[in-house]
Amino acid sequence: MSLRPTLDFLLHHWLAAESLNQRERFKDHSRETFDAVLDTCERIAREKYAPFNRLVDTQEPQFDGERVILPQATHDAQKAYAESGMLSAAQDYEIGGMQLPYTVEASANAFFAMASVSIGSGMLTTGNANLLMKHGTEAQKRVFALNEFSGRFSGTMCLSEPQAGSSLSDVVTRAVPDGEGFEADPLGPRYRLKGNKMWISAGEHELTENIIHLVLAKIPDADGKLIPGVKGISLFIVPKKLVDTEGQPTGERNDVALAGLNHKCGWRGTTNTLLNFGEGKYPVRGEAGAVGYLVGQPGKGLQCMFHMMNEARIGVGMAATMLGMAGYHASLDYAKNRPQGRPVTTGGKDAAAPQVRIIEHADVKRMLLAQKSYCEGALALELYCARLVDEQHTGAPDAADEARLLLEVLTPIAKSWPSEWCLEANSLAIQIHGGYGYTRDFPVEQYWRDNRLNMIHEGTHGIQGMDLLGRKVLMENGKGLQLLAGRINATIQRAIQVPELAAHANALGQALAQVGAATKAAWATGNPGHALANAVPYLQAFGHTVLAWIWLDVALASRDASESSARTGRLAAARFFFHYELPKIGAWLQVVRERDLTCAELPEAAF
Ligand SMILES: Cc1cc2nc3c(=O)[nH]c(=O)nc-3n(C[C@H](O)[C@H](O)[C@H](O)COP(=O)(O)OP(=O)(O)OC[C@H]3O[C@@H](n4cnc5c(N)ncnc54)[C@H](O)[C@@H]3O)c2cc1C
């Protein structure tokens, strides 16, 4: 089974990605150039990623005291990815990019996530370099970003610390000016950093010539104190090896040391590290302290980082989706081949009849259709968001602003919904395999372990829920939520005309009204403690409503497509979502509406 027909349908039939070619930035592109990118990525994923997915799981990164050792397959996969040009796909032609729409870039990257999510860490490098293109100086772009786009250097993002995960305002990594004339360094104001960064993905390896860390740290005030809160946070480029203004190594190792590798449940193809900055293991010019170059303004570090984090969140949602999809495809294949049991008929079971394949049992079909509705629905959502990113960057001013606001509201869903429901899909894929699914002889347990990360990093589920209900639906006087409701209503108006979809359209209208009412009720007393006590059930209900809308819109597009089993499948997945999933929002929203404090007020001793 191939992902390509689903991707092609969503990209071309549903989102009309080709119409982007009418824009100046994408005018050299065509369906042929888009197809060529997808073909190349599909091939590299098939040849260099998929065959090694189990290998990178069993051969975890090892630290020999000096170097982090990764399997040769990881080196080969990363080389092939860099050579494909995907690291700089969206960049300008002048700097070697393809000026590819993000919608197509995200679609092409889907093949890699499905084949082996952890073997490559290109997303971090691209995100890091993109941030520098937006907030860096010309020298920082030339020396660091361009070398990341070419694959010569790789990138990390260093936010978390052992005591500061969800709460980044508590970071204590310090950055102090590096001597006289620190402001005049051609690579940016030069500081010395000291502190520990925890959980840093791709923080140490030998895959690239250099590693460019983007590090959040605080510049102490005149009394040497750190400014509390996020206002005091600044952003620094800290290369593993120091370079000159041409990006050539100076021969000096920067004072960044690997304190240890984290041994993870899944996603083992990418190293995960605790890094010590400035402890003096590699003194620079005789002094302890990692050399870092300020990016943007002091105190504005988190704002710069958010530029990278929003893209990263769509990337996380896409990774979760594709892991779910990998499990769906594997369990579908298994269900078509595993004989077990006999059908229930009106006359009972005939023990003498041959066994049927498990795909013939209604409950197995339920589990398959659930996976299909979660994963293909999530893929549609991610591509919709990617299309909004293109609109934000290349649309007319009003449309661009609308896309920006819609993305504000949809990003927590794009990150969290697939992280929860495509993980559930992986659990169902294991269930379909029965006992075999619980062994390492089949790939589905690894997909689940790999996917379990996604509810944790890039803002946990709880933090995303609070971001949605506490900030995103309220921002700019609720304009983002109104815009989203407008789009949902437009789909409802079209679907209500179609007899086969009219009931779904009505159900979606009611769900939207319920979400609106619950949003108001949550904030009725104006007490954030009460409103946000049930932010995750709100996130779940909001997400399910968004997914129902996406499915209704996809169903409308499917109706125009010619009769085929793919069309039947898509309409059935939409029906499944409306019959089995959307009704769940009632229970989730009830506790939100009633500001239920059962959990929030329970004293610790009662647990
Ligand atoms: C494999 C992996 C890769 C990672 N890669 C990177 C990376 O490259 N760079 C990087 O900087 N970080 C990275 N992280 C760190 C990741 O972003 C953090 O783990 C995450 O932000 C959560 O922080 P924490 O682990 O300290 O958990 P905590 O923040 O301690 O959270 C623990 C639990 O408490 C809940 N909680 C916390 N605060 C609140 C609150 N105010 N209200 C309600 N609930 C709350 C959380 O939702 C969560 O369920 C990675 C993590 C992992 C596991």
Side-chain angles (χ1 to χ4, degrees):
M1 190 173 176
S2 161
L3 168 69
R4 189 62 181 270
T6 306
L7 213 42
D8 280 343
F9 173 83
L10 292 174
L11 203 51
H12 297 298
H13 194 90
W14 182 52
L15 288 178
E18 232 177 303
S19 64
L20 283 166
N21 308 345
Q22 286 153 18
R23 302 196 172 169
E24 183 58 26
R25 180 165 182 82
F26 307 128
K27 70 177 187 322
D28 297 337
H29 282 290
S30 61
R31 172 76 192 250
E32 285 68 35
T33 62
F34 291 167
D35 281 348
V37 172
L38 294 187
D39 290 346
T40 305
C41 292
E42 193 176 5
R43 180 181 51 74
I44 297 173
R46 187 175 57 243
E47 293 173 358
K48 302 282 183 191
Y49 280 57
F52 308 104
N53 194 40
R54 180 58 93 183
L55 180 111
V56 296
D57 185 55
T58 50
Q59 287 184 22
E60 269 191 275
Q62 297 293 328
F63 182 47
D64 69 3
E66 249 181 65
R67 286 160 182 257
V68 170
I69 301 166
L70 289 157
Q72 182 58 38
T74 309
H75 290 258
D76 297 343
Q78 296 228 1
K79 185 163 176 279
Y81 186 81
E83 283 172 1
S84 74
M86 283 301 287
L87 288 166
S88 60
Q91 297 303 313
D92 295 354
Y93 295 132
E94 295 96 79
I95 62 160
M98 298 184 221
Q99 296 194 186
L100 195 67
Y102 181 62
T103 315
V104 181
E105 184 188 354
S107 304
N109 277 328
F111 291 111
F112 300 107
M114 189 165 168
S116 183
V117 76
S118 70
I119 207 170
S121 47
M123 190 175 91
L124 277 166
T125 298
T126 305
N128 175 312
N130 284 349
L131 183 150
L132 292 177
M133 292 306 284
K134 174 118 176 135
H135 299 286
T137 62
E138 287 312 311
Q140 290 173 341
K141 290 180 200 175
R142 193 183 65 249
V143 171
F144 300 110
L146 295 198
N147 281 311
E148 290 186 76
F149 285 135
S150 73
R152 195 179 149 215
F153 300 166
S154 56
T156 72
M157 51 192 247
C158 303
L159 293 78
S160 308
E161 296 179 5
Q163 79 300 338
S166 300
S167 177
L168 289 172
S169 58
D170 292 309
V171 303
V172 292
T173 298
R174 300 167 81 92
V176 296
D178 186 25
E180 290 280 306
F182 77 98
E183 275 173 312
D185 195 297
L187 294 179
R190 197 182 59 245
Y191 287 73
R192 290 289 185 128
L193 278 74
K194 289 189 182 172
N196 315 107
K197 290 288 176 183
M198 181 56 166
W199 302 119
I200 306 312
S201 295
E204 182 57 56
H205 54 73
E206 305 290 325
L207 294 165
T208 48
E209 209 181 303
N210 204 350
I211 303 176
I212 309 306
H213 303 290
L214 281 178
V215 184
L216 291 183
K218 289 188 173 178
I219 303 170
D221 63 15
D223 301 329
K225 293 208 185 83
L226 297 182
I227 300 162
V230 294
K231 290 203 181 78
I233 300 178
S234 305
L235 180 64
F236 300 87
I237 299 169
V238 183
K240 172 179 161 183
K241 296 173 189 167
L242 294 173
V243 292
D244 64 18
T245 51
E246 299 308 310
Q248 296 308 318
T250 61
E252 296 160 296
R253 168 90 201 235
N254 204 355
D255 196 8
V256 184
L258 177 71
L261 293 175
N262 293 311
H263 299 286
K264 292 174 287 176
C265 160
W267 211 287
R268 293 181 179 161
T270 306
T271 52
N272 191 272
T273 56
L274 170 59
L275 297 178
N276 288 346
F277 287 84
E279 65 173 2
K281 182 162 182 190
Y282 304 104
V284 182
R285 288 151 222 161
E287 254 184 70
V291 172
Y293 307 99
L294 181 71
V295 181
Q297 297 301 311
K300 303 270 186 216
L302 206 57
Q303 272 153 274
C304 295
M305 201 52 122
F306 266 115
H307 182 254
M308 182 171 171
M309 279 153 78
N310 282 337
E311 266 176 52
R313 283 173 179 167
I314 296 178
V316 167
M318 186 61 110
T321 302
M322 299 324 297
L323 280 164
M325 195 77 83
Y328 168 50
H329 285 197
S331 62
L332 178 57
D333 186 50
Y334 185 83
K336 284 177 177 173
N337 290 296
R338 166 76 173 166
Q340 196 71 195
R342 290 161 186 83
V344 182
T345 64
T346 42
K349 283 190 191 172
D350 175 5
Q355 291 194 339
V356 295
R357 293 162 311 126
I358 61 171
I359 196 169
E360 296 181 51
H361 299 308
D363 189 53
V364 174
K365 286 187 178 180
R366 175 189 63 80
M367 292 190 280
L368 288 169
L369 204 46
Q371 289 181 69
K372 184 176 171 72
S373 80
Y374 298 154
C375 302
E376 293 185 6
L379 179 59
L381 170 68
E382 298 306 324
L383 294 181
Y384 188 89
C385 289
R387 180 68 186 74
L388 286 175
V389 171
D390 282 324
E391 199 59 38
Q392 188 186 358
H393 292 159
T394 62
D398 284 354
D401 197 53
E402 189 170 317
R404 173 192 62 83
L405 253 179
L406 278 165
L407 273 171
E408 292 282 9
V409 177
L410 284 173
T411 302
I413 306 299
K415 190 270 163 182
S416 298
W417 197 89
S419 302
E420 179 171 4
W421 297 97
C422 297
L423 178 69
E424 175 60 17
N426 287 145
S427 179
L428 291 171
I430 294 174
Q431 192 69 17
I432 287 177
H433 282 72
Y436 299 94
Y438 198 60
T439 70
R440 289 179 149 231
D441 298 327
F442 287 82
V444 283
E445 60 82 33
Q446 186 188 342
Y447 297 143
W448 187 90
R449 283 187 290 108
D450 286 347
N451 217 350
R452 190 60 190 83
L453 171 62
N454 291 315
M455 281 175 80
I456 298 171
H457 68 160
E458 285 298 338
T460 64
H461 226 48
I463 297 300
Q464 296 293 339
M466 290 196 293
D467 185 41
L468 179 67
L469 181 54
R471 211 165 71 83
K472 296 299 180 64
V473 296
L474 306 178
M475 67 192 288
E476 299 182 32
N477 293 321
K479 200 170 158 210
L481 185 57
Q482 286 158 21
L483 281 172
L484 179 64
R487 295 220 172 177
I488 294 177
N489 277 321
T491 302
I492 292 174
Q493 291 317 316
R494 284 164 54 225
I496 210 121
Q497 322 286 338
V498 181
E500 194 185 349
L501 301 179
H504 298 343
N506 279 322
L508 180 58
Q510 283 164 23
L512 184 60
Q514 277 178 269
V515 169
T519 312
K520 282 205 185 94
W523 284 106
T525 61
N527 179 339
H530 293 180
L532 300 179
N534 295 297
V536 165
Y538 180 82
L539 177 77
Q540 290 171 307
F542 199 107
H544 260 50
T545 305
V546 166
L547 261 289
W549 161 55
I550 292 284
W551 265 121
L552 190 60
D553 215 70
V554 169
L556 277 165
S558 304
R559 284 183 47 82
D560 309 336
S562 52
E563 195 63 56
S564 67
S565 43
R567 177 179 181 273
T568 308
R570 266 191 274 282
L571 290 171
R575 193 159 67 247
F576 177 92
F577 203 85
F578 275 93
H579 290 184
Y580 289 72
E581 293 294 330
L582 191 60
K584 291 177 180 171
I585 72 165
W588 288 323
L589 289 178
Q590 184 171 328
V591 291
V592 177
R593 221 173 27 242
E594 294 177 357
R595 298 184 297 282
D596 192 315
L597 299 179
T598 306
C599 309
E601 290 189 338
L602 190 65
E604 258 180 65
F607 280 97

